[in-house]
Amino acid sequence: MTQLRTRCGTRGRYAKSEAKREAILTAALQVFAESGYAGGTLRNVAEHVGISPANIFHHFADKQALLLAVLEQRDEWARTVAFRPGDFGLLLGIIDLADALSHTPELVRVYVMLIGEATSPAHPAYEHFRSRRNIYRDLLAERFALAAERGIYRGKFTPADAASSVIALLDGVQLQWTVQPDAVDMADIMRTALGALIDFDALRGETQTPTSSPNDN
């Protein structure tokens, strides 16, 4: 009975710890979206949660670790939305991602705020954004190259350049959406752009196989 109580108590403490960690991440997302990494403070985050700044260090080593955890959580969410099964699932998934982003304004704002700050190699998120951009560029380039092999690629430039342009466009529409959300349809813009690069109608006859995700690289 004592062992059972101990185990139950341990699980209860773990659940409370995880709940607190999630609350801190949610608060940090809001703070960084509003003030950026430079302007947002751990005190701001703690006030949102209703704890002291010192309590944050029970879950995250420092402010940088908290920032990277926020970005990784956003990336994980984006992967679940964007990675459809199939040879060209990622291309279709980008449209899904753009649509989902229009319903999650905090995720858009934190991305736009932080990627604008992280242009300097000295910024703690610089390497994160650089590496993720390289991974997605390579994955998209592979999809466009495969489309070219199958005769359904419409682009006038190389698959690598097409991949870079899609990433740049997705970044850009998020920025425009933060300024004029009612005037910018992110999903429609991405659908139109991708439709100029690949024949989506032809995809219906393609054999579907799983697409790799950044976690597999």
Side-chain angles (χ1 to χ4, degrees):
M1 181 64 72
T2 300
Q3 288 182 340
L4 179 59
R5 287 174 178 168
T6 300
R7 291 170 185 166
C8 289
T10 300
R11 285 197 298 269
R13 287 193 296 273
Y14 177 77
K16 289 179 181 179
S17 178
E18 281 299 295
K20 184 67 69 178
R21 184 179 189 276
E22 286 300 312
I24 293 170
L25 282 172
T26 299
L29 173 68
Q30 296 172 347
V31 169
F32 293 148
E34 293 169 1
S35 306
Y37 179 76
T41 67
L42 293 182
R43 182 174 296 280
N44 297 148
V45 175
E47 288 173 353
H48 275 70
V49 183
I51 59 176
S52 70
N55 284 337
I56 294 176
F57 297 118
H58 293 304
H59 304 274
F60 302 96
D62 50 29
K63 184 181 176 184
Q64 180 173 331
L66 178 57
L67 170 70
L68 295 178
V70 167
L71 291 174
E72 181 53 42
Q73 188 177 65
R74 185 190 186 278
D75 285 348
E76 184 178 352
W77 172 84
R79 285 192 294 267
T80 63
V81 175
F83 280 86
R84 289 187 181 187
D87 287 342
F88 302 101
L90 177 58
L91 300 181
L92 297 169
I94 287 174
I95 301 170
D96 293 338
L97 178 60
D99 181 62
L101 284 168
S102 68
H103 301 289
T104 51
E106 288 299 319
L107 294 182
V108 178
R109 293 191 183 102
V110 76
Y111 180 81
V112 169
M113 177 68 77
L114 292 174
I115 202 169
E117 284 187 343
T119 55
S120 167
H123 193 280
Y126 174 84
E127 182 59 29
H128 174 91
F129 283 120
R130 189 194 69 82
S131 63
R132 302 312 286 178
R133 184 178 298 274
N134 289 343
I135 288 171
Y136 280 104
R137 184 190 61 219
D138 291 346
L139 287 171
L140 287 169
E142 289 174 3
R143 299 304 95 196
F144 286 128
L146 181 60
E149 290 176 10
R150 297 185 182 178
I152 58 174
Y153 179 64
R154 295 172 169 174
K156 302 300 183 183
F157 32 72
T158 67
D161 286 344
S164 294
S165 69
V166 168
I167 293 172
L169 180 59
L170 185 57
D171 284 354
V173 296
Q174 288 182 80
L175 174 59
Q176 291 300 314
W177 187 87
T178 61
V179 177
Q180 291 182 298
D182 295 333
V184 178
D185 187 329
M186 291 192 282
D188 189 54
I189 290 171
M190 297 310 300
R191 185 181 298 107
T192 300
L194 286 165
L197 294 171
I198 193 168
D199 184 356
F200 282 128
D201 290 335
L203 296 187
R204 295 171 184 166
E206 292 292 324
T207 301
Q208 298 296 293
T209 55
T211 301
S212 60
S213 76
N215 279 347
D216 300 324
N217 290 271

